C-alpha cells in the first residue's frame, strides 16, 4: 500500500508538476498556432489537438498542444482549434504577370493562341509596370488559395521579384530566355547580362530565389540552353524550363536531335539536381530513369494540360521511377485560367484516375503531398519548406472546416483533395509573417490591383483592336 502511494505521488509529480516546475521558465517564441496540425512530414504525422511554434521566420516546434503550451510562451496566438493547419501550398509552375491576359482568347489551339494573340499582345502591352500590377494581382489570388511559394517564368522578372518580396511571398523566379526579341531584352547577350545582374541582386535573399528560365527546347538553341545552364551553375541557382509539353515538341526533337527532349537536354549537359521541368508529358521509360538519376524535379499542371489538350502526363509512372513531381497552375492566361492550386490537387487525382481507368491510380494523400512536400522536392527546396517540422521555414495555412462542404470529415487528406476549396483558406503565414488573417490580405492592396486589372482589360483589348 505504501509503495503504491509513493508510486502514485511520482506519477502525479511527473504528469502535472514536472512540466510546470521541473523544466524551469518557459522558452519564449513569437507565435503559437493551435489546431489540427497536418504536418506532411516523413511519417505523415497529424496532431488532432496540435500546435506549431514559430520563432523569427522558422518553426521552433510542432506537437500536441498541451505539451507545446507547457514549454513555450509567445506574444501572439493564432487559435485555429477545430480548423486545419497545413504547410503552405507550392505552385511549381506559372507565369504570374499573365493574370492581366486572363481570358484574352481561349478555346483555340496553343499554336494560334501563342502566335495570333499572346505574342502580339505581349509585344504591345508588356512593360515593367504591367509586370508589377500582374504580380500584385497574382499575389492576392495565390495567397487567397493558400499558396506560399510559387515558381514563375516571365519577363522583367526582377520586377516580379520586387513585388513578390513586398507581398511577403516565397518565389523561385525565372527570367525567361527565348530566341527572339522579348518584351524586356532584345538579344541573347542582353538576356544574359540582365539575368546575371538579377542573380547577383537576389543572392542570399530569404524569400526570393532568382533563376534563369530557358523557355523550352523549341524556342531556345542549344547554345542558349547551355549558356543559361552555365550561368545558373555559376550562382548555384535553379533552372526552370518547359520540357516535353506537347506532341510536336517530341516529334520535332526526334527529327532534329534524333532523340527525345529529355535525352537531348541530358546529352547537352543541361539536366541536373537544380533543374525544374514543367509538364514532362511526352517522356518514356528511359527518360524517366534519366530524370530520376539526374534528380530533376517535375511539375504536373493538370488544368493546363486538359485545357490545351496537350496530353496526359504519366504521373504515376514518373513518381514510381523516383522522380519528385510537384503541382502547378501554369497559366493563368490561356491555359487554366486561375491560380487555384487546390483545384490542381483535385484534378491531378481525377485526371490520373480517368486516364488509367482506375480510382487507385493516384490517391488523396499522394496529391496533397504533391502540393506540399513533394512539390518542395521538385523545386529542390525540401530542406526549407513543404512540411511543418522543426527548423523549416514557418510557411503555414489555416483552413476553416465550418462551411457545408467541409463536414463531416472522415479522412483529412480526402477532405483537402476533394471537398475543401481555396475560399476555405482563412489565414496564411509565410516565413513567420502573417500575409492573410481571417480572409483579410495584409501585404497586398487587393482593391488597387483589381481596379488596375479592369483598366488593363480596356487598354489590352484596344491594342488588339478588340473593342
Ligand atoms: Zn508554362
Amino acid at each position: 500500500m505504501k509503495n503504491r502511494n509513493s508510486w502514485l505521488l511520482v506519477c502525479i509529480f511527473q504528469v502535472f508538476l514536472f512540466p510546470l516546475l521541473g523544466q524551469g521558465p518557459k522558452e519564449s517564441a513569437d507565435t503559437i498556432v493551435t489546431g489540427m496540425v497536418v504536418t506532411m512530414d516523413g511519417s505523415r504525422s497529424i496532431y488532432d489537438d496540435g500546435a506549431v511554434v514559430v520563432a523569427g521566420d522558422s518553426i521552433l516546434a510542432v506537437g500536441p498542444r498541451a505539451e507545446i503550451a507547457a514549454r513555450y510562451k509567445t506574444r501572439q496566438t493564432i487559435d485555429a482549434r477545430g480548423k486545419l493547419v497545413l504547410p503552405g501550398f507550392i505552385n511549381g509552375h506559372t507565369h504570374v504577370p499573365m493574370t492581366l491576359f486572363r481570358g484574352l482568347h481561349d478555346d483555340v489551339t496553343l499554336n494560334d493562341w501563342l502566335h495570333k494573340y499572346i505574342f502580339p499582345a505581349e509585344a504591345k502591352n508588356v512593360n515593367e509596370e504591367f509586370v508589377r500590377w500582374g504580380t500584385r494581382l497574382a499575389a492576392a489570388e495565390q495567397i487567397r488559395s493558400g499558396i506560399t511559394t510559387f515558381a514563375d517564368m516571365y519577363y522583367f522578372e526582377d520586377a516580379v521579384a520586387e513585388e513578390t518580396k513586398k507581398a511577403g511571398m516565397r518565389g523561385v523566379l525565372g527570367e525567361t530566355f527565348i530566341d527572339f526579341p522579348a518584351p524586356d531584352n532584345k538579344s541573347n547577350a542582353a538576356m544574359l547580362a540582365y539575368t546575371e545582374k538579377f542573380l547577383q541582386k537576389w543572392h542570399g535573399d530569404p524569400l526570393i530565389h532568382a533563376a534563369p528560365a530557358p523557355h523550352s527546347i523549341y524556342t531556345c538553341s542549344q547554345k542558349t540552353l547551355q549558356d543559361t545552364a552555365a550561368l545558373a551553375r555559376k550562382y548555384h541557382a535553379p533552372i526552370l524550363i518547359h520540357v516535353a509539353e506537347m506532341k510536336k515538341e517530341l516529334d520535332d526533337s526526334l527529327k532534329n536531335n534524333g532523340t527525345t527532349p529529355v535525352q537531348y537536354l541530358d546529352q547537352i549537359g543541361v539536366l541536373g539536381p537544380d533543374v525544374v521541368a514543367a509538364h514532362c508529358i511526352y517522356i518514356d521509360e528511359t527518360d524517366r530513369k534519366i530524370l530520376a538519376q539526374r534528380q530533376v524535379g517535375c511539375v504536373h499542371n493538370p488544368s493546363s494540360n486538359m485545357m490545351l489538350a496537350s496530353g496526359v502526363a504519366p504521373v504515376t509512372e514518373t513518381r514510381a521511377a523516383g522522380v519528385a513531381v510537384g503541382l502547378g497552375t501554369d497559366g493563368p492566361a490561356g491555359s487554366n485560367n486561375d491560380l487555384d492550386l487546390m483545384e490542381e490537387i483535385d484534378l491531378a487525382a481525377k485526371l490520373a484516375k480517368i486516364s488509367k481507368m482506375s480510382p487507385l491510380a493516384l490517391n488523396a494523400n499522394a496529391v496533397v503531398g504533391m502540393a506540399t512536400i513533394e512539390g518542395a522536392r521538385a523545386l529542390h527546396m525540401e530542406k526549407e519548406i513543404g512540411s511543418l517540422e522543426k527548423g523549416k521555414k514557418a510557411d503555414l495555412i489555416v483552413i476553416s472546416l465550418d462551411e457545408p462542404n467541409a463536414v463531416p470529415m472522415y479522412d483529412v487528406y480526402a477532405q483537402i483533395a476533394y471537398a475543401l476549396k481555396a475560399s476555405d483558406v482563412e489565414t496564411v503565414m509565410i516565413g513567420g509573417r502573417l500575409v492573410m488573417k481571417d480572409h483579410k490580405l495584409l501585404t497586398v492592396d487587393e482593391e488597387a490591383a483589381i481596379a488596375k486589372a479592369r483598366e488593363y482589360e480596356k487598354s489590352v483589348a484596344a491594342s488588339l483592336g478588340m473593342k
Side-chain angles (χ1 to χ4, degrees), residues 222-274:
Q222 181 178 329
K223 183 174 182 318
T224 306
L225 294 166
Q226 288 172 325
D227 284 352
T228 49
L231 181 63
R233 280 159 195 163
K234 183 174 165 192
Y235 290 94
H236 305 289
I239 300 164
L240 310 183
I241 182 169
H242 296 98
V243 176
E245 69 169 321
M246 53 182 157
K247 180 77 166 45
K248 189 177 182 320
E249 178 184 347
L250 171 66
D251 293 344
D252 289 351
S253 181
L254 290 172
K255 201 168 76 194
N256 302 332
N257 309 317
T259 187
T260 65
V262 167
Q263 289 172 56
Y264 166 67
L265 284 168
D266 194 40
Q267 282 166 14
I268 65 168
V270 171
L271 299 188
D274 42 9

Side-chain angles (χ1 to χ4, degrees), residues 324-360:
V325 183
L327 288 177
T329 57
D330 202 5
S335 62
N336 190 317
N337 290 345
D338 60 29
L339 295 166
D340 179 350
L341 202 78
M342 291 192 79
E343 210 171 77
E344 306 301 322
I345 296 175
D346 178 284
L347 289 174
K350 290 173 183 169
L351 179 58
K353 290 172 196 298
I354 187 65
S355 63
K356 296 266 172 207
M357 290 301 282
S358 164
L360 311 180

